[in-house]
Amino acid sequence: MSDRSTHWDNVYATKGEAEVSWFQDSPAISLEMIGSACPDHGAAIIDIGGGASRLVDALLRDGYRDLAVLDLSANALEAAKKRIGRAASAVDWIVADATTWRPGRSYNLWHDRAAFHFLTDPRDRAAYVERLRSAIAPGGHVVIATFALDGPEKCSGLPVQRHDSASLAAELGPEFELVETRSETHHTPWKSTQAFQFSRFKRRG
């Protein structure tokens, strides 16, 4: 088990779903961007670093049928499966590191809220983007949410790399076209605020 996996397994073993700073009861911006990019509910969607996020619950309720959730932490995914119940059997749950994972299929949309910003080493970011490119075909979409440039410098005791749409575009490369970007002031469970940015890209066909 990698150091990253150990860290996140410990987090989810010791904290409840609503006891982490990134908890969202309703992932509204993610849902809106996914709905705009993939109105067809048969679209293949993967949530990178999804952990115990409620995004997959909401997508299932909306009628999406081809969903995958990838996370470093088996504990996080087990928490999500337990919460969802019987419907969890319709989801592909993947315990893996997005920088070393080898996608076995392609997806119409790659979603990542608050995973990419933990990659502070340029080599890890390059490895992540290599996996993204192998998973998203031309015409596919990418939604990445990170701490904004004026957001926190650390999360869960770890340093982060803050981004805006321009820095994300530079990481993804010229074959990905920026479609939209939005700002969010996220309210943590203990009422502090964090500046996030959400950027959606489309891979040129």
Side-chain angles (χ1 to χ4, degrees):
M1 182 178 288
S2 70
D3 290 343
R4 279 202 286 253
S5 297
T6 300
H7 174 86
W8 293 112
D9 261 339
N10 288 339
V11 167
Y12 284 102
T14 57
K15 294 185 178 183
E17 177 194 5
E19 295 176 326
V20 293
S21 65
W22 52 91
F23 172 75
Q24 284 184 307
D25 184 55
S26 177
I29 296 178
S30 292
L31 289 172
E32 290 168 10
M33 286 190 167
I34 291 169
S36 295
C38 296
D40 177 1
H41 287 184
I45 297 170
I46 185 165
D47 187 18
I48 300 296
S53 162
R54 296 191 177 192
L55 176 64
V56 68
D57 312 46
L59 291 171
L60 287 167
R61 285 196 301 271
D62 285 350
Y64 286 93
R65 303 182 298 276
D66 191 352
L67 302 175
V69 182
L70 179 147
D71 200 89
L72 283 162
S73 171
N75 288 339
L77 298 184
E78 285 301 319
K81 286 190 274 188
K82 183 177 180 180
R83 183 186 68 239
I84 293 169
R86 187 178 303 172
S89 63
V91 178
D92 184 16
W93 304 93
I94 305 167
V95 180
D97 184 328
T99 66
T100 59
W101 172 58
R102 296 292 179 183
R105 59 166 299 186
S106 62
Y107 298 90
N108 301 109
L109 186 138
W110 173 291
H111 174 273
D112 173 345
R113 177 183 176 270
F116 187 70
H117 65 201
F118 285 106
L119 302 181
T120 57
D121 187 325
R123 293 169 296 183
D124 284 338
R125 295 198 295 275
Y128 174 107
V129 171
E130 179 185 341
R131 273 74 188 171
L132 182 156
R133 286 177 177 148
S134 69
I136 299 297
H141 290 259
V142 177
V143 175
I144 299 181
T146 67
F147 285 148
L149 297 181
D150 57 345
E153 296 181 352
K154 285 189 172 184
C155 181
S156 190
L158 300 175
V160 299
Q161 179 73 44
R162 298 175 293 181
H163 289 281
D164 60 10
S165 60
S167 68
L168 289 175
E171 297 282 358
L172 294 178
E175 69 264 44
F176 289 90
E177 177 184 7
L178 179 66
V179 177
E180 62 174 319
T181 186
R182 293 173 61 175
S183 299
E184 180 191 46
T185 300
H186 171 64
H187 296 270
T188 71
W190 40 92
K191 309 305 181 186
S192 63
T193 59
Q194 298 174 332
F196 270 81
Q197 68 76 42
F198 287 70
S199 295
R200 176 163 68 96
F201 298 85
K202 183 175 183 179
R203 190 166 193 177
R204 301 177 194 273

